[in-house]
Amino acid sequence: METVAAPGRALPKCKLHWHVLFVHFPISFFGVAFAFQILHLFTSPACFELATNVTLIAGAAMLVPTIWSGWRTWKSNYRGARSMIFRRKINIAFMVLVFSAALLGWRIISFGAFVDVPYSPAHWVYLAGNTLLMAGAVAEGYYGGRLNHH
């Protein structure tokens, strides 16, 4: 993003770093989905189950622009360096994307297993899936922090 100044005045040029902007959304959505699933399992209101589903969908949807912007940043700023940290980040990102899509697909297909039975095995499997997504988000954050803050 560049700014335009009036004639005779120079404004600083600003560049928008899309990956930095996008990266926090999936982490936040997966964290909130995990928290709502915990709340649902221990307090049982159906609204927490719905909130889990909505935030999980939002997190999975935000992974697409996050991965795309990360890929572009890796290619342009790091010239596609194949160091261990980049391989780990790329692998984790694609595993989280595939797993979140699979978890959402399973959740939609097996909707009947979730109706008004908060302690059913399906809920515990869903919590385990949310926990794995949260672990993937934490791992991505850890390696991103190591990359940027040494």
Side-chain angles (χ1 to χ4, degrees):
M1 177 173 98
E2 293 184 15
T3 56
V4 179
R9 292 189 69 182
L11 288 177
K13 291 186 179 187
C14 299
K15 183 177 180 182
L16 188 58
H17 298 279
W18 289 102
H19 187 64
V20 176
L21 178 74
F22 288 140
V23 76
H24 296 92
F25 286 100
I27 294 169
S28 300
F29 284 129
F30 289 148
V32 171
F34 175 79
F36 279 137
Q37 187 63 20
I38 293 287
L39 286 171
H40 175 67
L41 283 170
F42 294 108
T43 63
S44 300
C47 63
F48 289 137
E49 176 67 18
L50 176 62
T52 300
N53 299 334
V54 170
T55 54
L56 193 59
I57 290 168
M62 282 305 298
L63 273 174
V64 175
T66 302
I67 291 172
W68 173 79
S69 62
W71 186 270
R72 290 199 57 212
T73 300
W74 173 62
K75 287 291 194 180
S76 63
N77 294 358
Y78 299 98
R79 293 182 180 91
R82 299 209 182 263
S83 66
M84 183 61 76
I85 196 164
F86 288 116
R87 286 194 309 242
R88 285 181 180 162
K89 284 187 66 58
I90 291 167
N91 288 336
I92 292 168
F94 282 108
M95 285 190 295
V96 168
L97 180 63
V98 168
F99 187 74
S100 64
L103 186 64
L104 283 168
W106 172 75
R107 173 63 180 93
I108 291 166
I109 291 168
S110 65
F111 181 75
F114 287 82
V115 178
D116 295 328
V117 187
Y119 297 107
S120 71
H123 281 287
W124 292 102
V125 171
Y126 197 43
L127 175 63
N130 278 301
T131 303
L132 286 174
L133 291 175
M134 195 59 226
V138 168
E140 282 288 330
Y142 171 77
Y143 288 120
R146 292 235 3 232
L147 183 64
N148 288 302
H149 303 292
H150 309 290

